[in-house]
Amino acid sequence: MVEFYFIVSAFLFSLGLAIVLTRKNAIFALIGIELMLNAANLNLIAVSSDTMEGQFFTLFVIVIAAAEAALALAIVLKVYQYFKTINLNEINQLKG
Amino acid sequence: MISQGVMYFFGLLAILSSLYILFTNNILYAAFSLVVTLLSVAILYLAAGAEFVGVTQIIIYVGGIIVLMIFGIMLTNEQRVKTNKKAAHNKFMAFVISISIFSILLYAILRLNFGDTKIGVEGNVKELGLALMTEYLLPFELAAVLLLLVLMAASVIASRKKEIN
């Protein structure tokens, strides 16, 4: 069973990476990042049967993921107000 | 104890719904498909005996992050006709990179010797709560401070500045 969890997790990680690399929309990239974080969590849970350390890691990763999503969406909203687009190819200047 | 067939079913469901995210052009459908993926992953957590983490996953991801994302999608929606044309780029390079990473991972996983590593122990919510308040107290408090900081920072970033004078 652990192999199955690991394979599902490898699949989710690769799919998340593909989504981050191909999509132009910033929110799609965020969705890909969430998939990759979930893949890592799945691995940690799969090996946490003896000790519970994997579960603690997963809890803190979920907290960090929530924080990251909230901040990133705030930044995306601000970028949209300024550039009128969230296409990652068109946002190419730093000076606001 | 959840049977193995259920585990395989939800693992496949997670893979299929994330494939749908990769190939769809409608970002709202992608967000809804992400809900299916996250719920299947939560059920996999439950099947592995991590009840607390599974329920946390449902509450935080499905109840919080997805709502935030749909909020962001609706506030930043462009004309769908324009974005549908070329919603993706770098397709070939991304395909090559992800396939190669997946094959490396699969090769490594199939070579691993898991021995008799068991999955799916009984629930241990009580031990988890005790350890969070004793052994893992520092990261727990740090996470609380981090969440407070992020709450303030996100509201400051997203709010419109008032004109002085």
Side-chain angles (χ1 to χ4, degrees):
Chain A
M1 275 328 275
V2 183
E3 292 94 329
F4 176 68
Y5 273 62
F6 274 34
I7 290 169
V8 169
S9 148
F11 213 98
L12 286 182
F13 185 85
S14 323
L15 278 173
L17 186 67
I19 290 169
V20 171
L21 287 178
T22 54
R23 293 297 177 166
K24 289 180 183 169
N25 193 318
I27 295 180
F28 253 122
L30 277 179
I31 290 177
I33 292 171
E34 298 297 337
L35 274 182
M36 287 155 81
L37 285 169
N38 261 285
N41 285 349
L42 201 56
N43 258 0
L44 289 171
I45 288 291
V47 292
S48 75
S49 62
D50 293 338
T51 61
M52 290 194 303
E53 273 151 15
Q55 297 192 23
F56 292 109
F57 263 87
T58 309
L59 277 178
F60 293 119
V61 169
I62 288 176
V63 169
I64 305 281
E68 169 253 329
L71 264 188
L73 282 165
I75 292 171
V76 163
L77 285 186
K78 210 63 186 174
V79 163
Y80 183 72
Q81 281 175 17
Y82 184 75
F83 288 98
K84 302 294 176 213
T85 179
I86 50 169
N87 187 332
L88 292 173
N89 283 348
E90 291 172 24
I91 303 165
N92 49 16
Q93 56 180 8
L94 279 176
K95 189 164 177 247
Chain B
M1 195 59 224
I2 299 178
S3 73
Q4 290 210 345
V6 178
M7 280 184 178
Y8 286 125
F9 175 75
F10 281 105
L12 282 180
L13 194 63
I15 289 173
L16 285 180
S17 52
S18 42
L19 271 175
Y20 182 77
I21 298 175
L22 182 60
F23 290 115
T24 185
N25 271 333
N26 189 328
I27 188 162
L28 206 54
Y29 290 173
F32 291 140
S33 187
L34 186 65
V35 173
V36 178
T37 312
L38 296 173
L39 284 177
S40 325
V41 172
I43 288 171
L44 286 180
Y45 291 168
L46 292 179
E51 285 98 352
F52 186 74
V53 180
V55 175
T56 310
Q57 162 105 350
I58 292 176
I59 291 174
I60 292 185
Y61 270 104
V62 183
I65 295 182
I66 290 290
V67 172
L68 267 180
M69 277 191 174
I70 291 174
F71 185 67
I73 289 167
M74 292 189 171
L75 282 180
T76 61
N77 206 5
E78 301 166 25
Q79 293 88 357
R80 204 173 287 161
V81 190
K82 208 177 71 184
T83 49
N84 258 358
K85 285 276 166 59
K86 285 192 285 179
H89 60 158
N90 294 337
K91 272 185 186 163
F92 178 70
M93 280 314 288
F95 180 77
V96 170
I97 291 172
S98 350
I99 289 288
S100 44
I101 283 189
F102 179 66
S103 21
I104 292 169
L105 285 174
L106 195 65
Y107 176 71
I109 288 166
L110 293 180
R111 278 176 61 93
L112 275 179
N113 179 18
F114 287 101
D116 55 349
T117 313
K118 281 258 171 67
I119 206 161
V121 288
E122 290 96 64
N124 40 22
V125 180
K126 190 181 173 191
E127 290 82 19
L128 198 136
L130 281 176
L132 262 186
M133 277 297 154
T134 53
E135 199 179 341
Y136 291 88
L137 188 61
L138 180 64
F140 184 73
E141 294 293 338
L142 279 179
V145 173
L146 177 78
L147 281 179
L148 178 67
L149 275 177
V150 165
L151 185 72
M152 292 193 296
S155 57
V156 166
I157 289 174
S159 63
R160 291 164 201 265
K161 275 187 198 124
K162 268 188 200 154
E163 294 291 326
I164 303 170
N165 307 327

